[in-house]
Amino acid sequence: MKEIIRGNTHSFLLFIIFGLSMYSTAMSVAFMIGLRDIVPVFQFFKEGIIFTVLIINLFSLRKKPRFHLIDYLILFFLIYTTVYAFLPIGEQSLVNRLIALKSTSFFVIVYFAGRFSDPTKIYITKYFNYIMLLTIAAGAVICLEVLFNQHLQTITGYAEYSYYFFNFEPSGSYGLSWTFESEGGFKRFASFFANPLENAGATLIALAVIGALYTKDDNKFKPDLTGILALAASFACITFAISRAPFVSYFLVIYIYALLTKKKYITHTIHLGFAAVALYFIWIISSFEDKASGIAEVVINTLNFSNPSSIGHVVEWIQGIDSMVSNPFGLGLGTSGRVGGSLGDTTGGENQYIIIGVQAGVLVLLCYMTAYISLIRTSLRWLPMLRGRERKVCMFLLLFKIALFIPLLTSEVESSSYISYMNWFFSGLFISIVMQYKKNQEVSYAH
């Protein structure tokens, strides 16, 4: 906070990387050792830092900023959902609607904190290296969890903390929640992240950073020892998280990276690997379906939608889509997602897009999706034109946005502070780079 108040707002990235990644673990430990009265203060601390960064960045502007289409889309999203929070729409109280507003729309504040940051003052390579170190640490923790066959969360007070503050009762075979286990008796590990889903999402951040950090402007990939260790750690984390959507996204990112950098040996390897795996599971399904066990059982039951998790996703999607068709203007904030679940309302709660549409309507959903897709298209268009740190930010954002697209279909990704803040802060920072680049081009043409 001292560094941020001094004007070094980029120090906020330290808090995102090292604070938000282990935020829930730190809060549950604080609760366990008897500091429950100060936990609410720290729960709003991250929002306070973001507002501080945004205000300082706004006052540091020397000229009126030029806005991008994506700026207008995201600002419209915030204004629209804020109006919904204050109007008596839905069955939730004003306080609950405001809590839901924070959960649904706070990413806009994070975006503009990055949007009004000066990219030239941010040492991208340094912060990307910090993410490498964080990933290696997460990999080490998860290996210890696997070695001792024990979730870290069983000794940090996770279940008690979740019940006391979020009204989520312990569930599942391990006294945590169902998200910590998978079909077939497998434990799903989270390292020091909030849950296995956030752990899996964090590996996608790490993978995108590795691709961006170690790829030169000529598309040559040259990782050092830290990069190799981080890549191995990310694979360990995604493997033991046993989260299907992020696992698919993990290899999708590698494939898209290979296409972007024209690395045919990677694409050919993935093609051959995909063909081999497909043939293997076709053989299992056709010959030994009743004997399939372990990971094979998980995959097969996922593909044929026979396991409870897959069925749950489909049911939630159908409920959410039906709700949006019946109520195109939304049911009101707090009627879906994590906040809705804690309040006893779980309409369409397993899909980030549907969660937004159920609460605030189809128009806001289209606004969110247009901004998201526009960020992917813009980064694709600018990647060949950027160099150095600007290219690193562009490639990271492009890979990460693509990586998140599938997990957004199966979970409320925006409820994870670490993933959401990384996503939208760098989205804003990238648009800042684009607008500065356009400005410099116009000055050059004028001369």
Side-chain angles (χ1 to χ4, degrees):
M1 279 297 293
K2 184 170 68 174
E3 287 298 312
I4 291 171
I5 293 172
R6 285 178 176 176
N8 300 323
T9 52
H10 55 82
S11 299
F12 165 68
L13 284 169
L14 279 173
F15 178 71
I16 293 182
I17 296 167
F18 294 112
L20 294 186
S21 59
M22 53 192 77
Y23 177 81
S24 292
T25 298
M27 292 298 97
S28 60
V29 169
F31 177 80
M32 182 180 66
I33 63 177
L35 301 177
R36 68 179 60 183
D37 293 334
I38 70 168
V39 168
V41 177
F42 284 105
Q43 284 181 326
F44 290 97
F45 183 72
K46 57 185 184 297
E47 287 83 6
I49 287 184
I50 277 288
F51 274 116
T52 304
V53 170
L54 176 59
I55 292 170
I56 291 175
N57 285 346
L58 284 172
F59 279 104
S60 299
L61 293 175
R62 297 177 181 177
K63 295 181 181 179
K64 182 180 178 181
R66 295 174 57 187
F67 286 95
H68 193 279
L69 172 63
I70 293 171
D71 296 330
Y72 290 113
L73 287 170
I74 292 177
L75 188 60
F76 173 78
F77 184 99
L78 177 63
I79 293 172
Y80 197 103
T81 52
T82 301
V83 171
Y84 258 54
F86 285 97
L87 291 178
I89 300 174
E91 299 178 357
Q92 304 299 343
S93 66
L94 175 61
V95 172
N96 289 337
R97 293 199 302 272
L98 290 175
I99 293 173
L101 174 67
K102 183 176 78 71
S103 176
T104 304
S105 305
F106 194 79
F107 76 88
V108 179
I109 308 300
V110 181
Y111 171 84
F112 280 107
R115 176 67 178 85
F116 296 126
S117 295
D118 185 352
T120 62
K121 294 182 179 179
I122 298 179
Y123 303 104
I124 297 299
T125 300
K126 180 179 74 171
Y127 292 112
F128 278 3
N129 272 292
Y130 285 153
I131 294 173
M132 299 292 95
L133 296 177
L134 178 77
T135 305
I136 293 170
V141 170
I142 208 166
C143 286
L144 289 173
E145 286 184 293
V146 173
L147 179 64
F148 292 103
N149 194 33
Q150 182 178 15
H151 293 105
L152 175 67
Q153 287 69 23
T154 59
I155 59 176
T156 62
Y158 169 87
E160 294 81 3
Y161 166 76
S162 297
Y163 178 72
Y164 186 86
F165 285 102
F166 304 110
N167 196 32
F168 291 137
E169 294 188 11
S171 59
S173 304
Y174 307 111
L176 298 171
S177 65
W178 285 110
T179 190
F180 283 88
E181 58 190 275
S182 180
E183 187 178 3
F186 290 100
K187 286 185 177 180
R188 303 172 66 188
F189 296 99
S191 187
F192 44 67
F193 295 96
N195 53 60
L197 297 178
E198 183 172 277
N199 174 33
T203 64
L204 301 179
I205 294 176
L207 190 61
V209 165
I210 291 168
L213 183 61
Y214 295 111
T215 303
K216 308 301 179 184
D217 291 342
D218 59 1
N219 284 333
K220 290 183 179 179
F221 182 66
K222 295 183 177 180
D224 55 17
L225 179 59
T226 302
I228 294 171
L229 289 175
L231 186 60
S234 72
F235 185 73
C237 288
I238 197 70
T239 299
F240 294 117
I242 315 181
S243 185
R244 290 170 287 258
F247 192 79
V248 171
S249 289
Y250 188 90
F251 290 97
L252 176 63
V253 168
I254 296 174
Y255 185 71
I256 296 297
Y257 171 81
L259 292 177
L260 290 171
T261 56
K262 298 179 175 60
K263 291 179 170 47
K264 293 184 179 180
Y265 65 93
I266 297 180
T267 57
H268 292 164
T269 302
I270 291 177
H271 290 161
L272 290 173
F274 180 80
V277 171
L279 289 173
Y280 171 69
F281 281 111
I282 289 173
W283 177 69
I284 288 180
I285 292 171
S286 60
S287 304
F288 299 93
E289 184 176 18
D290 294 334
K291 297 180 181 179
S293 61
I295 294 295
E297 180 185 9
V298 175
V299 176
I300 290 169
N301 291 343
T302 298
L303 294 175
N304 63 19
F305 289 96
S306 64
N307 74 321
S309 178
S310 297
I311 294 172
H313 287 314
V314 173
V315 170
E316 291 286 348
W317 295 344
I318 293 173
Q319 288 179 349
I321 292 171
D322 181 64
S323 174
M324 286 189 288
V325 171
S326 303
N327 303 276
F329 293 102
L331 296 174
L333 298 185
T335 55
S336 185
R338 188 182 70 166
V339 174
S342 67
L343 299 173
D345 196 336
T346 56
T347 306
E350 300 250 347
N351 182 312
Q352 182 67 61
Y353 309 109
I354 291 177
I355 288 169
I356 292 171
V358 167
Q359 293 187 91
V362 176
L363 180 61
V364 171
L365 171 59
L366 291 175
C367 181
Y368 179 87
M369 295 187 69
T370 302
Y372 196 96
I373 294 171
S374 295
L375 279 162
I376 293 177
R377 291 184 60 187
T378 304
S379 54
L380 268 173
R381 182 159 53 90
W382 281 88
L383 186 64
M385 295 184 281
L386 298 174
R387 295 292 180 269
R389 79 173 82 192
E390 289 82 7
R391 192 173 192 267
K392 285 181 172 60
V393 172
C394 182
M395 179 171 283
F396 163 72
L397 185 68
L398 174 59
L399 294 176
F400 188 38
K401 286 288 183 183
I402 292 172
L404 281 185
F405 193 83
I406 297 176
L408 284 167
L409 295 170
T410 59
S411 61
E412 187 180 5
V413 174
E414 299 294 358
S415 67
S416 166
S417 298
Y418 175 61
I419 297 172
S420 181
Y421 281 34
M422 286 292 293
N423 180 13
W424 291 104
F425 184 87
F426 277 96
S427 296
L429 188 67
F430 170 66
I431 296 301
S432 179
I433 290 171
V434 168
M435 297 309 289
Q436 284 193 13
Y437 200 92
K438 283 184 175 181
K439 181 181 177 181
N440 292 338
Q441 283 184 327
E442 292 173 358
V443 171
S444 299
Y445 292 147
H447 289 293

